[in-house]
Amino acid sequence: MDNQLHECLVGSNTAVCQTEDPTGKLPPSIRSTRIDKILVVADDSGHAREDKQTSALEFDNVLSDTYKITTWETSTDGNPDLAELQQYDAVIWTTGDYWDDSISAENAETLTAYIEAGGNLILSGASIAFDWDHTDFLQNIVHADYQTFAEQADIELALEDHPIARDFEPGTVVDFVDTPSGEPLLPDVVAHTEDARVIFKRGPASEQPGAAAVIAYEDDRSKIAYYAFPIYLLPVETQSLLVNNTVDWFSRKPLDLPNKDEFEPFAADEDTSAQEKPQDTENGNGENGDQNGQDTGNNNENNGTDNSDSTN
């Protein structure tokens, strides 16, 4: 037999093997369209802010009555590998209010491989875009463009006919709840890439209103939803509707890619941008990031997932 089995990809319900393809084409996607088992990764390996919350508890509370949930905490369980992620029908990777390597280079590579093989992914956190600015991971996996960071007080429905927006009333604005500590949080201000859609945007009470808050990307291989804030900031009923809608969307046929001719990127208003990134609680003097929010120890910029200073 001339063609040997080149690679096998194993999902929770599907195994795909193929002979080596001389054209370099990817094997068929193993993305599950029937959601039963979900892995929630609480990525707390970055630097902590005052509240030290990943939002993993909120995801578990929302989904555990309907789905089989496994929670993985990176600080105690280590970094899950690709084989672990592919045992589940969907993966939720949540960094909450952690920042500065809130997703390590190793984990970014694993998530990239997971999406390339075919998968369902929710990414959620206040500083994912800040940590991965100017990288392939931010552009091609998160499908976002980092602008700045600023206080956020609410989200507003932007695309009412998308499955993630189901049962939200047109024009819905949802006010954030206070952080547990009462300290303000400055989530990333982001724009979406031209191949993605904005489902919710920053609302009228937020700084940088109109910036993307929930971004959705889908093709025939993968579906990715990015919440550019920790979901613990949402009221419980909104957490439930948003997250359940997103998981239900995973089981639906992918929509066509957006019309690139209609792409209107968001541009942050520099006059209202935050001037300082909140200090982490472990390094109050900004040891791992300077006072302008520029990470002096992070080597992600312009080099894909190469980050030798990652905290694992």
Side-chain angles (χ1 to χ4, degrees), residues 101-114:
D101 289 346
S102 56
I103 297 178
S104 71
E106 178 184 347
N107 288 330
E109 290 175 359
T110 300
L111 287 169
T112 299
Y114 172 74

Side-chain angles (χ1 to χ4, degrees), residues 32 81 90 108 119 144 147 165 173 175 193 207 212 224 229 235 245 262 265 268 299:
S32 177
D81 59 17
Q147 304 274 308
V173 175
D175 293 331
T193 55
E207 294 183 1
I224 305 162
F229 56 88
N245 282 356
E262 299 175 358
N299 293 324

